[in-house]
Amino acid sequence: SGIHEFKYSGTDNDEDILNIENLELMHKGKDAQSFLRVPAISMQKGDYVYIKGLSGSGKSSLVQAICDLWPYGRGHISV
């Protein structure tokens, strides 16, 4: 088991399609440290997104967290 403190909701703004606040992704384990921190992201319809990083830096984990497929971490995601 591990920390699962994600909060998912709909966006309050018709223009925004994705808002992320205080996101921390972790691996399994109660004492796990975050390996990816995202203070804030806001995307609107029509925005292009390019995620760049080294292998193992958390790119795929970020997308999985947005889709509610990453089980460990905390933060607020509005879709």
Side-chain angles (χ1 to χ4, degrees):
S1 73
I3 297 170
H4 183 85
E5 298 174 0
F6 292 115
K7 296 176 184 147
Y8 290 90
S9 65
T11 60
D12 296 332
N13 184 335
D14 290 339
E15 296 294 319
D16 293 336
I17 60 167
L18 175 66
N19 287 310
I20 298 174
E21 297 174 6
N22 302 316
L23 184 68
E24 294 182 47
L25 300 184
M26 304 166 189
H27 292 290
K28 185 176 181 177
K30 297 268 185 202
D31 298 329
Q33 298 295 316
S34 59
F35 65 88
L36 180 67
R37 292 183 181 157
V38 179
I41 293 178
S42 181
M43 295 178 206
Q44 297 180 344
K45 187 174 183 177
D47 283 352
Y48 288 94
V49 178
Y50 179 69
I51 301 173
K52 180 180 176 181
L54 298 174
S55 178
S57 63
K59 300 175 301 290
S60 296
S61 301
L62 174 61
V63 173
Q64 289 177 21
I66 292 169
C67 296
D68 197 12
L69 299 173
W70 186 264
Y72 307 114
R74 61 174 62 101
H76 186 242
I77 300 172
S78 301
V79 182

